[in-house]
Amino acid sequence: MSKKVAFYTLGCKLNFSETSTIARGFEKEDFQRVDFSDEADVYVINTCSVTENADKRFKTIVKQAQKSNPDAFVAAVGCYAQLKPEELAEVDGVDLVLGATEKFKITDYLNDLTKNDKGEVHSCEIEDADFYVGSYAIGDRTRAFLKVQDGCDYKCTYCTIPLARGISRSDTLSNVLNNAKKIASQDIKEIVLTGVNIGDYGKGEFGNKKHEHTFLDLVKALDTINGIHRLRISSIEPNLLKNETIDFVEQSNSFVPHFHVPLQSGSDDILKKMRRRYLSNLYVDRVKRIKSAMPHACIGVDVIVGFPGETDEHFLETYHFLNDLDISYLHVFTYSERDNTVAAEMEDVVPKKVRNKRSKMLRGLSAKKRRAFYESQLGTVRTVLFEGENKKGYIHGFTENYIKVKAPWDPALVNTLHQVELEDIDADGLVRFKFVSSEIVA
């Protein structure tokens, strides 16, 4: 009888794509994949280290696995497993901890599924994480996450990702295109490009710093593939989002008018302390450039509050900066100290209470921005891709410019694209619409 394996993914879209690749490795070894809430022989938890909460949640998830099957073998992989392998190995119930290079070979470590008294650690020095493993997530959504790049050469003072994932390196263009074709062949309508620093695409394509391709080359090549209806760029650094890319998206067949551009702070003083590679004026320029090319484009922003040395004045500078910008929503992160980062040693630590208050203010601003963006799009005709879940009697979907819509549940709509006219905003903040025609776009 085949053994059963279950997966739990914490963190980013990149982690989801890698979990799918790891899962396909198990399937080749005749494991049957089951839901994490079901009884399994092996539970794999793909960890994240970006925030404090991800660390805390790990223990809860291990307990959840043990509840389903006290005798199951529990393995931890991912960023937190690379950064603090010994800490994870100490968690009651954990049997195996694999670092950045080992996680893709997890089945090699599973010859014996006997429970261990203490987790066994196989974790490389991060300098050894210099090879690339292509990944994509498929099968559980109407969209797929396609990994094109890994690692980061930036030295932002708050970030552990270079320590957890190593140097910047890319998939070969031919490999990315092959993976995209595989996804297209499975009737998936949308691909989201993911990576740690995707604007750096090309670097490390040959295991060194030699570049043959750039991010723009990648975008242009993907746009020619048949069967992909939508391509979405996930997060891209403002200094790496070039005019040529914006102009190409504007006239592209498949790329949608949605950009997620990390800012982190609207104060130049704080940006310098964070060692970001731009100042606020460059960010303003990127937003204006996108909006002049595509007035209906959706622009999402990452911002960190409570960084060491962020005074009330710095925070208000960020608040007003964002309030004045023509953006659509915010992802707000409350700064949390991470070991082995420069920022963790900085003085003028902002009290947690103040961090939380600032976070709440920016989340309020995000809701206001999203509402204003949605209102600006009412009366326009957009294409919606409908998702696969029945949520309290409703089906949800997203327009190409990332407006979330809702309609009474209809299974025939799942994974189809329809033209709709956006009509009004419901009490829950989602948009109601009417079909422009009964025909399916795709």
Side-chain angles (χ1 to χ4, degrees), residues 371 378-379 421-427 429-433:
R371 176 93 190 188
L378 295 180
E421 184 182 329
L422 304 178
E423 289 196 305
D424 52 57
I425 302 171
D426 218 0
L430 305 188
V431 176
R432 297 278 197 162
F433 60 87

Side-chain angles (χ1 to χ4, degrees), residues 74-103:
V74 178
V77 301
C79 291
Y80 189 25
Q82 174 64 37
L83 288 172
K84 300 202 170 172
E86 299 299 337
E87 201 172 288
L88 289 196
E90 295 288 345
V91 173
D92 189 38
V94 173
D95 300 291
L96 178 67
V97 179
L98 298 181
T101 63
E102 292 81 8
K103 63 188 170 192

Side-chain angles (χ1 to χ4, degrees), residues 12-14 132 146-151 193-198 234-235:
C12 62
K13 292 175 178 133
L14 183 56
Y132 186 87
L146 173 58
K147 174 181 164 186
V148 299
Q149 182 274 345
D150 199 352
L193 303 185
T194 71
V196 173
N197 188 358
I198 63 173
S234 59
S235 185

